């Protein structure tokens, strides 16, 4: 117990920030890249069938799947950041109780979500845009991934966050990466070998569900093995957390969950507005929204590494180390963002050709991608600062910045710029909104930094 705890404590307390951030962030960056790949795997393999109805049926599940991510953020981000702060304050018993509470609350909420989706599957899928031609495919995929797979999927993400919060980033990153690789391997096996022609969507659903079950089993087994050497507990008998700790979980977790919902809503609005300009602009912007994800997923991995480091040192009142971790992670993210902008500007047509061969779609998509890429450093700044406030338990500030980014700046600007500038207005919205939001976020952060300096003195 002492050996592992001392190693993790060294990461939080004394290891130089560049090395500490690398220990915590590199496994998460790798995991995020695998997530990016396997998030496209089902669509890629189903696209090999040349059946657009199958592709459309699977695509309809993205908003529903993002609800799963919201549930995981509610308990994983809310509980994980609190556990890091409790460890920084030396309250290991409280950390165990919070971990147990988050695990079993995740199971209950994900189970209820699965049951609701089973009962209301058809009206829910019709609401998200299923037609009579695509409904059957959407139901096949939904039954496997959501109805049968919601609990292991959501629990896997929550357990990964809890492990990361206690310094086990390598284990968390390996588990997520393993699940993605297994999914990529199982997809063609179930789609084209084990099941008959016409059942490809069902096969993709089974593959995704099984990969999440295996990942969840890995995390549960790992936490059980580490039960005497970590501050996480699978036991429902550890005791109920204090009321203030339960409140803290949801005070931070709810803004994190809401941010995913608003992000998803924004993408739905972009698709709806782009559809008004024809199939080719819609296809182009759809590809761009996928192609731009690479630096953003890397940025998410950096933030996931920064959060437990900032949370622990904030609770330990080591504010100098906390600010150093925030500053260094920000610099790394901005450098990656700047390099990404350059690469997108130079190779946008090449990137578009990976996804499609149509000349007009490639031309439009390359123009759109070059514009959207300009927002990359500003997008990183926005979610970096939101993640920081989640880490230190300032759920109100995280809520304000998260909601303001999408509900105050991005979504209203989409309608205004679409009305004034047309399709290119939609594309430029992200840049305009995130520049304004970055300025707003930095103002909030500087006030917080000023207050922490006063606390030190």
């Amino acid at each position: 117990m002492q050996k592992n705890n001392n190693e993790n404590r060294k990461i939080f307390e004394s290891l130089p920030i560049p090395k500490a951030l690398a220990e915590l962030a590199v496994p998460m960056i790798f995991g995020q890249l695998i997530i990016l790949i396997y998030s496209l795997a089902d669509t890629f393999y189903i696209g090999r069938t040349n059946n657009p109805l199958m592709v459309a049926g699977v695509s309809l599940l993205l908003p529903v799947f993002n609800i799963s991510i919201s549930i995981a953020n509610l308990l994983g981000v809310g509980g994980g950041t609190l556990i890091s702060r409790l460890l920084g304050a030396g309250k290991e018993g409280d950390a165990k109780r919070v971990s147990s509470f988050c695990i079993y609350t995740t199971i209950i909420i994900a189970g209820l979500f699965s049951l609701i989706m089973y009962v209301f599957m058809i009206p829910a899928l019709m609401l998200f845009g299923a037609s009579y031609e695509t409904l059957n495919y959407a139901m096949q995929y939904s039954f496997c991934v959501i109805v049968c797979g919601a609990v292991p999927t959501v629990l896997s993400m929550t357990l990964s966050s809890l492990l990361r919060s206690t310094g086990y980033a390598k284990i968390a990153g390996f588990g997520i990466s393993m699940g993605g690789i297994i999914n990529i391997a199982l997809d063609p096996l179930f789609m084209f070998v084990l099941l008959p022609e016409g059942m490809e969507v069902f096969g993709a659903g089974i593959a995704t569900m099984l990969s999440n079950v295996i990942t969840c089993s890995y995390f549960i087994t790992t936490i059980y093995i580490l039960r005497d050497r970590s501050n996480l507990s699978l036991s429902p008998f550890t005791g109920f957390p204090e009321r203030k700790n339960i409140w803290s979980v949801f005070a931070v977790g709810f803004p994190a969950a809401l941010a995913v919902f608003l992000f998803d809503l924004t993408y739905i609005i972009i698709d709806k507005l782009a559809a008004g300009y024809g199939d080719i602009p819609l296809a182009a912007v759809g590809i761009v929204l996928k192609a731009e994800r690479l630096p953003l997923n890397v940025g998410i991995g950096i933030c996931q590494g920064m959060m437990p480091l900032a949370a622990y040192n904030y609770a330990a009142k080591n504010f100098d180390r906390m600010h150093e971790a925030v500053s260094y992670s920000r610099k790394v993210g901005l450098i990656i963002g700047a390099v990404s902008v350059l690469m997108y500007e130079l190779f946008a047509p090449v990137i578009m050709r990976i996804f499609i061969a149509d000349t007009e779609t490639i031309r439009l998509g390359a123009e759109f991608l070059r514009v959207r890429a300009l927002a990359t450093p500003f997008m990183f700044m926005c979610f970096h600062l939101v993640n920081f406030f989640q880490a230190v338990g300032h759920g109100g500030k995280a809520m304000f910045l998260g909601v303001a980014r999408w509900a105050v700046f991005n979504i209203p600007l989409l309608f205004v710029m679409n009305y004034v500038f047309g399709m290119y207005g939609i594309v430029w919205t992200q840049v305009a909104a995130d520049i304004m939001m970055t300025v707003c976020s930095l103002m909030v952060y500087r006030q917080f930094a000023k207050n922490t300096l006063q606390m030190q003195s």
Side-chain angles (χ1 to χ4, degrees), residues 320-336:
D320 288 339
R321 185 170 174 82
M322 178 197 74
H323 286 302
E324 186 183 355
V326 174
S327 177
Y328 183 78
S329 61
R330 182 191 302 141
K331 289 176 184 176
V332 173
L334 288 176
I335 290 171
I336 292 173

Side-chain angles (χ1 to χ4, degrees), residues 151-175:
V151 172
T153 300
V154 177
L155 187 57
S156 294
M157 290 185 279
T158 298
L159 295 176
S160 172
S161 295
L162 298 184
L163 282 163
R164 188 174 68 247
S165 72
T166 55
Y168 292 99
K170 291 180 180 178
I171 291 175
F174 175 80

Side-chain angles (χ1 to χ4, degrees), residues 341 344-349 365-374:
V341 171
Y344 279 129
E345 297 300 323
L346 292 174
F347 301 109
E367 293 179 8
F368 295 166
L369 184 56
R370 285 176 173 138
V371 172
R372 292 271 305 184
L374 297 174

Side-chain angles (χ1 to χ4, degrees), residues 77-156:
V77 174
T81 55
L82 175 60
I83 288 170
S84 294
R85 294 195 301 276
L86 289 170
L87 295 179
K91 299 179 179 179
E92 296 186 358
D94 287 341
K96 280 185 175 289
R97 285 188 285 273
V98 169
S99 68
S100 178
F101 170 79
C102 290
I103 290 169
Y104 289 100
T105 304
T106 295
I107 293 172
I108 292 170
I109 295 177
L112 288 173
F113 174 58
S114 174
L115 179 62
I116 290 170
M117 193 62 194
Y118 175 72
V119 174
F120 299 103
M121 184 186 297
I122 293 177
L125 293 176
M126 296 293 283
L127 177 66
F128 286 116
S131 65
Y132 289 107
E133 290 79 11
T134 61
L135 181 60
N136 182 50
Y137 298 124
M139 288 177 64
Q140 291 178 21
Y141 197 71
S142 176
F143 180 79
C144 295
V145 177
I146 305 299
V147 174
C148 298
V151 172
T153 300
V154 177
L155 187 57
S156 294

Side-chain angles (χ1 to χ4, degrees), residues 148 188 238 246 303 360:
C148 298
T238 55
I246 295 175
C303 291
E360 182 62 15

